[in-house]
Amino acid sequence: MRLSREGRQGLTLISPTLAYALVMLAAPLTMVVTFSFWTQNYLDLDTTLTLDNYREAWGTPIYQVLLLRSLKISLIVTFVTVLLAFPVAYFLSFKVKRRKALWLFLITIPFWTSYLLRVFLWKVILGYNGVLNSALMGMGFIDEPMTFLLYNLNAVVLTLAHAWAPFAILPIFVALEKIDRSLLEAAEDLGDGKIRQFFRVTLPLAMPGVVASTLIVLIPTIGDFITPKLVGGTDGLMIANMIQIQFGKANNAPLGAALAITSMLVVASISVVIFLAGKKFGGKVE
Amino acid sequence: MTGKDPRAIIRMQDVTKFFGSFQALKGITTTINEGEFFSLLGPSGCGKTTLLRMIAGFDEPTDGAIYIGDEPMAGIPANQRPTNMVFQSYAIFPHLNVADNVGYGLKRKRMSRAEIAAEVEKSLAMVDLAGYGKRAAHELSGGQRQRVALARALVMRPKVVLLDEPLSALDKKLREQMQVELRQLQQSIGITFILVTHDQEEALIMSDRIAVMFEGQIEQVATPEQLYRHPVSRRVASFIGVMTLLDARATAQPGNTVRVDIPALGTVDLPAARVPEGIDLAKVEKIGVHPEMLTILQDEHETAERVVEAEVASRSYYGDMTYYSVLLPGANAPATISMRNTFGRSVIDPGAKVKVGWGQDSIILFK
Ligand SMILES: Nc1ncnc2c1ncn2[C@@H]1O[C@H](COP(=O)(O)OP(=O)(O)OP(=O)(O)O)[C@@H](O)[C@H]1O
Ligand SMILES: [Mg+2]
C-alpha cells in the first residue's frame, strides 16, 4: 500500500492513539468474543466452540427480562435526559448573551465529585430516613416516610438522568451554537412565527447534536451496574449486574461474555436506528 | 423605471434609532418609489444595514415611522410585512435542497404541492437555475447560492425586495456579471429593490436612485448621474469616484453667475445651474475635478476650452486607461488625470511638460 505524504503524516500522528486503542479495546473485545463460544467446566475452560451460551442467554426468561428492563430503563433515562437537556442547551445558546463560558462551567460543577459519590447522594436524598422524607415530614406534608422513592426503577432513572445531564447538554449546545442566526431571520422573513421557526429550522439543524446526546447517554446507561446496584433494589437490577455476577460469583465467564455480546449487539442496532432516524429528520446537513 | 407619476411605495419619516446611548440613525426622511431600484450607499458603520433591517421588520425604530404602501409598519413583525430579504450570507437553509429552500415561504400559504412546485420552478428559471431544484444546498457555488436566495425572495411576490450587500461575497468578475443581471431582472419584473452597498461603482451601475449616507444621516438622494456630476458635499464627492481637490475662491457676480478663482487652473464664471442651492460662497475653499474632466493635449490640433501648462509627475498604466499624476502650476498637490489609450495616443513619461485642457464643466462646487 502506497500512502501520500499527508497520509503518512496523519498515520504517524494517530499511531500512538491507534496502538493504545487496539491494545485496550480490540484485545479485550476479541477475548470476550472468544470466551462467549467456550464453556465453563467448574475450574477449567472447555475451548471447543459452541453456541450454547447464546442459546442460554437468549432463551432463559430471567436474562430476557433483565435485558428488556435494561433497555427500557436506558431508553427512559435517555428520553428524560435529552428532553431536559434541550431547553437548557437552548437557553444557553439563544438567551444567554454574555458569560456563556461561566454558565458552561457551572454545568460541569457536579462532575467535580465522583460518580459513586453522586449516586450515594441520591441515596441520602431519597432514602427512608433521607433528606426528602425528613423534610416533608418536618413540614407536615406526610405522616410516615415514603418508601417508593428508593430501591426501584424510578430511583435508577432519576439518578442516571442526573448523572448524564451535562453530557447531554453539551452536544446539543454545540449544535445550536453552530446554527447561523440569519437562518432564523430568513425563516421569519419568509413568514414563519417563532414556533414554526423552531420546528422548521432550529430543531432539524440541532438534530446532529440531539442524536449525539442520545447515543452518549443511551450506550453507557445500558451497561451501567453501579447505579442499579446501589439504588435499584431488586426490580431495578439491570443486565450489567447479571453480567457482573456471571463473571464473578457465578463463575461462568463464557455465559457472561455471551450476555455482554448480546447487549452490545442490541445497543449497536438501536444506535444505528437512532442515527438513521436523526439523519432522516434532520435532513442532509453538511 | 420611475413613471410619470411615481407612486411612493415606502415612506420614512424621521426614522431614528438608538442602540443604548449610541445613535445609529439620526432622522432619516425619504421616499422610495414603486418599481424603483434604490440603493443605500455609505461607508462601513453609517447605518445602512440598520435602516434596511427596520424596513424588513427585524428591528423597530426608536422614533419616527416607516410606511409601506401607505400602511404604517410600527408593531408589524417581519413575517407579516410585504418585504423579502436577500441576506448578505444568503442564509440558504443547509438542511433543505434548492427547491425546498425556494418553496419555504410558500408552504405557509394555502397552495397545493403542484402549485408550489410550479411557482418554485418558475422562480428558479427567472434566476437562470431551472432544473436545479434537487441540488443540495452545499452543492451550490457562491453565485448559485446568491441566485437561490433571490429566487426564494421573488417567489413570495413581495412589494419590496431588500438586498444587504448581496454581491460582496462574490469574486470581481462574477460580481460584475451579477450586477448587470440583477439590474435586468429587476427591470423586467418591475418590483422595487432596495440595495445596501458600500461599493460606489455597484450603486452607480445598478440604481435608479442612490441615497448616500454618513453617520446615520442621508446626505444626498439623486440619480447616479446627478450624484456623480453634482455631489452636494465634499464627503459625497470623495465617496463617489476619484476626485482632485484644488484651492479656490468663489464670489457672486451680477446675473446670478459665480466667479470661481482657481490658482492652479485660472478663473471661470459658472452659470447658476452649476451652483448648488444654499451654498455659502464665502466658505468655499476647494473645488473638485474628476480625472476624466481634465485632458492632456497631445498634438497641436487638439484644443480645449481652457489650457494650462503642467508637468507629469507619475503614471499608472491600466491597459485601456492611464492615470497620470500631474503637477499644475501653483498647486500644492498633484491632480489626477485619466486618459483612454485610444489610437493616436502614446503613454507619456513622467517629467514631460504637457498642456492640460479643462473647461467650465470640469469644476464642481460643493456646499
Ligand atoms: N445591535 C446593535 N447594537 C449596538 N450597536 C449596533 C447594533 N447594530 C448596529 N450597531 C451600530 O450601529 C452602527 C450602524 O451599523 P450598521 O450595521 O447599520 O452599519 P452598516 O452601514 O451596515 O455598515 P457595514 O457597511 O459595515 O455593514 C454601527 O456603528 C454599529 O456598531
Ligand atoms: Mg451592513
Side-chain angles (χ1 to χ4, degrees):
Chain A
M1 191 173 61
R2 297 187 60 124
L3 284 173
S4 67
R5 217 173 87 94
E6 257 172 69
R8 280 200 307 270
Q9 274 179 353
L11 214 59
T12 318
L13 268 178
I14 63 163
S15 57
T17 325
L18 197 66
Y20 186 76
L22 276 178
V23 173
M24 303 307 285
L25 194 75
L29 196 64
T30 323
M31 217 175 80
V32 172
V33 172
T34 323
F35 254 69
S36 72
F37 294 106
W38 290 348
T39 316
Q40 183 85 36
N41 282 331
Y42 299 105
L43 288 177
D44 46 29
L45 283 165
D46 178 355
T47 56
T48 26
L49 298 182
T50 165
L51 283 172
D52 281 351
N53 295 315
Y54 285 98
R55 251 171 240 130
E56 195 179 344
W58 294 350
T60 317
I62 174 75
Y63 302 140
Q64 292 172 352
V65 168
L66 280 179
L67 188 60
L68 281 180
R69 184 192 290 158
S70 303
L71 259 182
K72 189 173 105 183
I73 290 180
S74 52
L75 283 174
I76 296 175
V77 168
T78 308
F79 185 75
V80 169
T81 311
V82 174
L83 206 67
L84 292 178
F86 197 98
V88 177
Y90 187 89
F91 174 79
L92 268 182
S93 176
F94 281 83
K95 304 292 169 193
V96 176
K97 299 276 183 250
R98 273 173 296 168
R99 310 230 190 110
K100 279 191 194 186
L102 180 70
W103 280 80
L104 285 174
F105 176 73
L106 290 177
I107 282 177
T108 60
I109 282 187
F111 280 84
W112 295 10
T113 56
S114 95
Y115 172 55
L116 213 56
L117 212 60
R118 272 176 285 140
V119 180
F120 271 112
L121 278 177
W122 278 108
K123 236 172 126 137
V124 171
I125 294 173
L126 299 176
Y128 188 80
N129 291 319
V131 175
L132 194 63
N133 274 328
S134 314
L136 287 178
M137 285 206 313
M139 289 188 288
F141 286 116
I142 49 173
D143 295 329
E144 53 189 74
M146 297 180 288
T147 50
F148 62 85
L149 293 175
L150 197 57
Y151 300 126
N152 56 26
L153 194 144
N154 297 334
V156 176
V157 170
L158 186 64
T159 310
L160 283 175
H162 172 251
W164 288 99
F167 286 108
I169 292 171
L170 292 177
I172 299 176
F173 172 75
V174 170
L176 289 173
E177 280 290 285
K178 279 207 312 204
I179 297 178
D180 180 357
R181 299 306 192 255
S182 68
L183 293 176
L184 296 173
E185 288 192 337
E188 183 176 0
D189 190 59
L190 293 165
D192 280 354
K194 288 270 176 268
I195 293 170
R196 277 172 184 277
Q197 283 169 40
F198 178 80
F199 283 105
R200 294 182 74 186
V201 180
T202 314
L203 193 55
L205 290 177
M207 226 40 205
V210 173
V211 168
S213 288
T214 307
L215 296 181
I216 282 177
V217 179
L218 180 78
I219 295 172
T221 46
I222 289 193
D224 194 272
F225 62 94
I226 295 174
T227 307
K229 192 162 183 180
L230 290 179
V231 302
T234 41
D235 58 338
L237 279 189
M238 290 163 66
I239 191 74
N241 300 103
M242 184 50 84
I243 296 171
Q244 191 207 9
I245 289 172
Q246 294 302 338
F247 272 99
K249 262 187 250 163
N251 189 27
N252 193 351
L255 179 59
L259 286 170
I261 298 292
T262 304
S263 61
M264 216 171 79
L265 289 177
V266 170
V267 175
S269 29
I270 292 178
S271 305
V272 168
V273 170
I274 290 173
F275 182 74
L276 293 179
K279 206 158 188 184
K280 185 154 177 129
F281 182 70
K284 221 176 142 195
V285 183
E286 251 172 293
Chain B
M1 279 301 292
T2 42
K4 261 186 287 176
D5 172 26
R7 214 165 64 87
I9 185 109
I10 294 188
R11 277 193 299 130
M12 287 174 256
Q13 196 71 51
D14 277 321
V15 173
T16 304
K17 180 69 182 178
F18 279 92
F19 291 113
S21 64
F22 173 76
Q23 190 170 12
L25 292 178
K26 303 168 183 169
I28 301 280
T29 301
T30 195
T31 303
I32 297 167
N33 296 327
E34 184 148 22
E36 188 171 43
F37 200 123
F38 191 89
S39 293
L40 296 170
L41 175 67
S44 186
C46 70
K48 308 178 294 287
T49 299
T50 305
L51 187 59
L52 198 74
R53 288 173 58 82
M54 286 194 302
I55 298 173
F58 295 126
D59 239 326
E60 285 283 335
T62 312
D63 220 336
I66 297 174
Y67 300 85
I68 301 182
D70 282 339
E71 268 184 68
M73 285 292 125
I76 298 182
N79 57 346
Q80 285 163 33
R81 294 196 182 187
T83 57
N84 281 105
M85 184 119 162
V86 175
F87 291 82
Q88 182 165 9
S89 58
Y90 308 144
I92 305 291
F93 301 117
H95 57 302
L96 302 177
N97 67 20
V98 168
D100 288 339
N101 259 286
V102 176
Y104 189 97
L106 295 180
K107 297 239 165 78
R108 296 269 292 113
K109 302 187 170 177
R110 279 196 202 86
M111 290 171 77
S112 73
R113 269 161 188 260
E115 280 173 311
I116 292 179
E119 283 292 310
V120 166
E121 200 47 45
K122 220 162 62 183
S123 182
L124 282 176
M126 230 189 287
V127 294
D128 260 345
L129 281 182
Y132 277 69
K134 289 275 172 288
R135 286 274 183 108
H138 62 87
E139 293 168 348
L140 299 172
S141 71
Q144 288 167 339
R145 295 170 84 83
Q146 203 271 331
R147 286 164 206 255
V148 171
L150 186 62
R152 188 173 68 180
L154 291 178
V155 83
M156 303 297 287
R157 300 176 193 273
K159 285 195 176 132
V160 182
V161 178
L162 308 170
L163 307 104
D164 190 355
E165 311 212 14
L167 307 179
S168 61
L170 307 180
D171 64 60
K172 188 164 181 285
K173 206 156 179 191
L174 190 55
R175 188 163 64 229
E176 284 166 1
Q177 180 196 337
M178 287 304 294
Q179 285 167 358
V180 177
E181 276 184 31
L182 210 56
R183 171 66 175 154
Q184 281 171 350
L185 183 66
Q186 187 270 338
Q187 289 197 308
S188 68
I189 55 180
I191 294 181
T192 311
F193 274 39
I194 302 179
L195 173 82
V196 160
T197 179
H198 59 244
D199 178 345
Q200 46 98 11
E201 208 171 284
E202 184 167 296
L204 292 178
I205 291 172
M206 298 171 80
S207 323
D208 290 308
R209 282 195 307 153
I210 301 168
V212 185
M213 291 178 68
F214 288 101
E215 291 162 15
Q217 277 173 312
I218 293 184
E219 188 127 335
Q220 185 173 12
V221 182
T223 63
E225 206 184 337
Q226 278 173 342
L227 197 63
Y228 187 80
R229 296 286 297 124
H230 308 294
V232 294
S233 66
R234 256 160 75 177
R235 281 211 285 199
V236 173
S238 65
F239 203 72
I240 312 284
V242 183
M243 181 168 277
T244 303
L245 294 176
L246 296 171
D247 290 337
R249 288 266 166 278
T251 43
Q253 290 295 111
N256 255 343
T257 61
V258 170
R259 171 156 300 169
V260 187
D261 185 31
I262 312 154
L265 292 174
T267 302
V268 67
D269 285 339
L270 293 184
R274 298 286 321 280
V275 180
E277 266 174 59
I279 190 171
D280 181 358
L281 292 178
K283 283 200 182 141
V284 172
E285 287 174 349
K286 303 256 186 200
I287 54 97
V289 187
H290 280 128
E292 71 283 2
M293 284 300 186
L294 296 176
T295 172
I296 296 177
L297 308 176
Q298 265 195 349
D299 64 59
E300 330 289 68
H301 312 294
E302 269 189 282
T303 54
E305 206 178 303
R306 309 284 292 270
V307 178
V308 288
E309 305 273 345
E311 183 186 326
V312 174
S314 65
R315 64 156 195 245
S316 312
Y317 181 71
Y318 282 80
D320 57 337
M321 307 278 290
T322 308
Y323 279 77
Y324 295 97
S325 230
V326 172
L327 289 169
L328 294 167
N332 39 15
T336 306
I337 303 180
S338 66
M339 296 299 295
R340 266 180 72 210
N341 298 328
T342 183
F343 43 80
R345 277 204 173 274
S346 50
V347 175
I348 302 161
D349 290 326
K353 299 265 187 270
V354 292
K355 286 186 163 61
V356 171
W358 64 286
Q360 186 208 76
D361 272 352
S362 310
I363 309 304
I364 297 172
L365 268 183
F366 309 117
K367 250 200 285 203

